[in-house]
Amino acid sequence: MNGIEKWLEKRGVTIEDVAEIVYNLQRPYNADLQMDECRDSVRAVLEKREVQYVLYTGIALDELAERRLLPEPLQAIMEKDESLYGVDETLALGITNVYGMIGLTSFGYLDKMKPGIIRQLNLKGEKIHVFLDDLVAGLAAAASARIAHGDPKAIRYHLPESP
Ligand code: MG
């Protein structure tokens, strides 16, 4: 298990949790889809350094808020999970964007429906998951987009051809 998987697990999120969301997102479009492909896709997204940096940053802010170490007004905003804050969603888009526009629709859907582990992270307890719920949605959306591209080993950005 690599560093970022350990960070996620320590915050209550496993590869399996994310893979389940990916499976449910993609299964309607792909009758042959296996859970193994979903796990592999989540791991492949997690291998990207820019994805790891986003996750480390968001998780660190959640943990600092739990320890009441953030400066005001940020501490109060994080404790309330202020709906107008929005930086959690913005940061999560840094993960979704890795696989282009396809991930964006899924991210919006997951943010609204909050399936599986995303809903559990949203339940109010003494833990603060302001960032993590969105980061998991972003991760699942990216892993799902990666499968939707149908060419997992060679994801290309859809940039216009140069003249
Ligand atoms: Mg949030």
Side-chain angles (χ1 to χ4, degrees):
M1 197 188 292
N2 65 27
I4 196 61
E5 280 185 48
K6 281 202 198 108
W7 272 55
L8 286 168
E9 234 166 68
K10 148 185 101 159
R11 300 298 295 169
V13 177
T14 63
I15 299 284
E16 197 67 18
D17 292 329
V18 186
E20 262 171 38
I21 297 173
V22 174
Y23 183 85
N24 291 326
L25 272 179
Q26 282 304 311
R27 189 61 175 60
Y29 310 104
N30 183 349
D32 302 323
L33 184 66
Q34 300 294 317
M35 267 299 282
D36 262 350
E37 285 174 77
C38 299
R39 288 184 201 103
D40 289 350
S41 192
V42 174
R43 288 207 173 89
V45 175
L46 285 176
E47 268 170 32
K48 296 201 165 277
R49 187 172 301 182
E50 63 263 53
V51 170
Q52 294 176 8
Y53 287 169
V54 167
L55 286 164
Y56 286 136
T57 305
I59 291 171
L61 286 166
D62 280 350
E63 287 186 343
L64 288 170
E66 271 174 22
R67 291 155 61 193
R68 318 206 78 233
L69 289 173
L70 291 173
E72 294 297 353
L74 201 50
Q75 181 67 39
I77 292 168
M78 293 278 288
E79 281 176 23
K80 261 186 260 157
D81 201 355
E82 190 80 63
S83 58
L84 288 175
Y85 178 53
V87 183
D88 38 353
E89 285 89 2
T90 308
L91 192 66
L93 289 177
I95 300 177
T96 309
N97 287 347
V98 170
Y99 291 101
M101 288 301 289
I102 292 182
L104 209 56
T105 323
S106 302
F107 177 73
Y109 173 80
L110 293 176
D111 189 42
K112 191 168 157 57
M113 303 305 290
K114 305 195 193 307
I117 185 74
I118 301 173
R119 182 166 304 277
Q120 279 163 254
L121 290 171
N122 248 279
L123 297 174
K124 299 269 184 282
E126 70 240 46
K127 291 275 181 195
I128 293 182
H129 295 131
V130 170
F131 280 90
L132 191 57
D133 59 341
D134 300 287
L135 297 177
V136 168
L139 179 58
S144 168
R146 187 178 167 281
I147 291 172
H149 275 279
D151 187 5
K153 283 176 210 75
I155 296 300
R156 283 172 286 274
Y157 291 92
H158 296 279
L159 297 171
E161 301 275 330
S162 39

